[in-house]
Amino acid sequence: MRELTRSVVLGAVVAASSAAPAFGYDPGEGTLLTESFDAELDADWEMGNGVGTSPWTRVLDGADEVLYADGFGPFGGAATRHWTRHFVHPVAATGFSIAFEHRAELGAGALFDVEVEHRSPGLRKLRLRIDGAGAMSLWRTEAGVFVERASTAAGTVPVDQKRWIRFAIEPDGSGHPWIRARIWSGNAAAEPTTWTLEFLDVNDTVETVHRFEIAADGPKGVETWLDDLDVWGDVGDGVASSVKTIYVAELS
């Protein structure tokens, strides 16, 4: 089957998804996770160790706290890459989405990634990327290597301005999932019904979502702010277990 890839700029109508209902993003209503970053992060937020990666921090941004990366590690010589990841209750990939408020200085060499992982059997990932020119792109792993499948023009994500972003895996009549992203301005509740970017993943790259990762990289001093992060998925669907055989042995 021929794989379908679309690349559109912000505000254009994506014909295949124009009839899709809006999620109606209301911060605090994620079914798998909701995080305003105003309180201490729970233990499921894994952070970089300051050597291979540097940790995100929480800072005040106006009246509330946000997750923050600045390209500086906790000590001299630390890596510029800020990384964190969070496990979620394993859910079927179709119907999974993550939304958040985003603001970044961007610039040459800067990158921001959100990656969704299927960990077993085999590690497979999908990625939403924003590069230093403000272009948004969607990627998947193929034979363990990330391959870009769709992208927008530069400037889709403006420099140092708040935008809201959703990264989603949605069903399609073909039996394969759509990998989609939208970006919008104004406020979280102003989420549109159309998608900024999408491709049909005939590889079924991610079947079960086990965790997601967030990373910011680039020159020292390039700042990135995240807030009001929510994750949705249907825990009622259940997922196929990787455990196939259970042995019970008598204890003597």
Side-chain angles (χ1 to χ4, degrees):
M1 178 179 180
R2 181 177 64 87
E3 183 165 11
L4 177 60
T5 301
R6 286 193 181 91
S7 176
V8 297
V9 297
L10 180 63
V13 175
V14 180
S17 58
S18 59
F23 286 88
Y25 178 27
D26 186 6
E29 294 192 347
T31 58
L32 296 179
L33 176 69
T34 180
E35 181 60 75
S36 67
F37 304 108
D38 287 330
E40 290 295 323
L41 297 180
D42 66 58
D44 286 331
W45 282 100
E46 298 180 77
M47 291 287 191
N49 58 16
V51 180
T53 54
S54 293
W56 290 74
T57 56
R58 290 183 303 115
V59 300
L60 276 175
D61 182 33
D64 62 351
E65 289 190 312
V66 300
L67 198 63
Y68 172 73
D70 62 1
F72 291 100
F75 52 82
T80 62
R81 186 174 187 266
H82 290 245
W83 162 91
T84 185
R85 65 187 177 193
H86 197 289
F87 285 89
V88 296
H89 181 91
V91 294
T94 302
F96 178 91
S97 71
I98 178 171
F100 50 91
E101 177 189 300
H102 172 274
R103 179 165 65 95
E105 291 186 327
L106 305 178
L111 292 173
F112 171 80
D113 292 334
V114 178
E115 296 178 1
V116 175
E117 298 184 356
H118 175 118
R119 300 186 65 226
S120 178
L123 180 61
R124 305 194 298 275
K125 298 183 181 183
L126 297 168
R127 171 194 282 165
L128 165 72
R129 166 165 284 183
I130 299 170
D131 68 17
M136 178 185 289
S137 53
L138 295 173
W139 305 59
R140 72 179 177 204
T141 53
E142 298 177 10
V145 178
F146 268 115
V147 177
E148 183 181 303
R149 301 305 310 174
S151 64
T152 68
T156 299
V157 183
V159 178
D160 203 16
Q161 295 185 38
K162 285 184 180 179
R163 288 295 185 271
W164 286 262
I165 295 171
R166 185 184 292 272
F167 181 26
I169 306 170
E170 293 203 307
D172 179 72
S174 68
H176 301 293
W178 282 101
I179 313 305
R180 289 170 162 154
R182 63 164 59 103
I183 178 172
W184 70 98
S185 60
N187 55 61
E191 182 173 5
T193 59
T194 55
W195 295 97
T196 308
L197 197 61
E198 62 182 5
F199 75 93
L200 187 65
D201 183 17
V202 298
N203 286 5
D204 301 321
T205 304
V206 171
E207 299 172 17
T208 302
V209 176
H210 295 99
R211 70 184 179 192
F212 63 90
E213 295 187 5
I214 299 173
D217 199 2
K220 287 181 168 62
V222 174
E223 297 176 292
T224 304
W225 300 262
L226 295 182
D227 201 9
D228 293 332
L229 182 146
D230 283 279
V231 182
W232 290 264
D234 187 356
V235 296
D237 278 351
V239 296
S241 174
S242 60
V243 178
K244 302 302 181 184
T245 305
I246 298 175
Y247 298 94
V248 178
E250 181 180 357
L251 178 65
S252 62

